[in-house]
Amino acid sequence: EFRRVLFRSADMVRTLEGNGHIAKQYISVLTISSVMLFPLAFILLPLYVALVGGDLVAKEAEDGTLRMILSRPISRLRLLFVKWLAGSIFSVLLVASFGVCGLLVARLFFPWGGLFVFVPGELFAVFDPAEGLQRYFYAHVCMVTKAITITSLGLMFSCFNIKPAACTILALSVLFVNAILQEIPFFRELKHWFLTYHLNIWLFIFA
């Protein structure tokens, strides 16, 4: 993934210079970290948290440990809340690790500088280093809600009488169906009704 980012640097230079900016100021740690963030947020993050959410209850039931846990004086509501809380903590730590590791890896190859974010047809923005770091941080804070939502979706399916893998597949299927319908031109005016639109609000922190 990082190698692909290096190849995209030439495209960034042309885009920045074509819009009147000095490319050297924006081919930086923050810009490269943000570029790496997009595939992580749209592909790996949903997969990881859906896997964890789908295992929270279904895996316990499959292994037979859920029966032992419920034999203790604990309510089912408290049990589910504690599992949801554990999944939420995992989601927060996963998003934080994405952000910190992105900065550390990018710092090995690129200097510190401003932030440049470009999504064809949707977003073009440049920020100075201080504001760029704030936007980068706030985007990750907003992304935590996406991670926790998908974890909760996996946990919901995990409470059904199905296998853990099926819970993960169902959670991801809901996301994929929402994303596909949202991109159909007929539904463009109704995009605010789709789950994936709200899950990706973090993207507009860079606007």
Side-chain angles (χ1 to χ4, degrees):
E1 174 59 33
F2 193 72
R3 191 179 301 131
R4 185 180 67 84
V5 170
L6 291 175
F7 284 121
R8 286 190 57 187
S9 296
D11 295 333
M12 292 181 193
V13 171
R14 286 193 295 269
T15 303
L16 282 166
E17 292 180 347
N19 286 274
H21 298 283
I22 301 175
K24 186 177 180 181
Q25 297 178 355
Y26 296 100
I27 305 299
S28 64
V29 173
L30 289 174
T31 298
I32 301 304
S33 299
S34 299
V35 171
M36 292 191 295
L37 179 64
F38 284 89
L40 293 176
F42 285 102
I43 300 174
L44 293 183
L45 178 65
L47 177 61
Y48 290 166
V49 294
L51 280 169
V52 171
D55 279 356
L56 286 174
V57 175
K59 187 64 176 175
E60 296 266 24
E62 185 180 52
D63 293 344
T65 55
L66 186 62
R67 185 186 298 269
M68 179 187 68
I69 293 174
L70 291 174
S71 67
R72 300 182 179 183
I74 177 175
S75 66
R76 297 186 180 187
L77 180 61
R78 181 183 176 187
L79 174 64
L80 293 176
F81 174 75
V82 170
K83 286 187 172 295
W84 176 84
L85 185 61
S88 299
I89 293 173
F90 170 81
S91 301
V92 173
L93 294 177
L94 180 64
V95 172
S97 66
F98 282 166
V100 173
C101 290
L103 291 175
L104 293 178
V105 172
R107 189 65 182 90
L108 297 175
F109 301 93
F110 294 90
W112 188 258
L115 172 63
F116 165 58
V117 180
F118 177 60
V119 179
E122 290 189 18
L123 187 62
F124 180 96
V126 291
F127 304 99
D128 59 64
E131 186 177 1
L133 183 60
Q134 288 182 350
R135 298 287 183 129
Y136 185 79
F137 173 76
Y138 292 145
H140 282 77
V141 172
C142 193
M143 199 185 300
V144 166
T145 61
K146 173 179 182 176
I148 293 178
T149 301
I150 300 174
T151 302
S152 303
L153 191 62
L155 175 61
M156 180 190 73
F157 288 118
S158 184
C159 294
F160 297 168
N161 187 24
I162 53 179
K163 297 290 184 180
C167 301
T168 301
I169 293 171
L170 284 172
L172 293 176
S173 297
V174 170
L175 299 180
F176 289 151
V177 169
N178 270 262
I180 292 171
L181 291 177
Q182 180 183 327
E183 294 302 319
I184 295 176
F186 181 79
F187 292 109
R188 286 290 172 83
E189 296 183 357
L190 302 174
K191 62 182 181 180
H192 302 90
W193 293 92
F194 291 101
L195 176 63
T196 46
Y197 174 83
H198 297 282
L199 292 183
N200 295 323
I201 288 295
W202 64 270
L203 176 64
F204 298 103
I205 297 295
F206 292 114

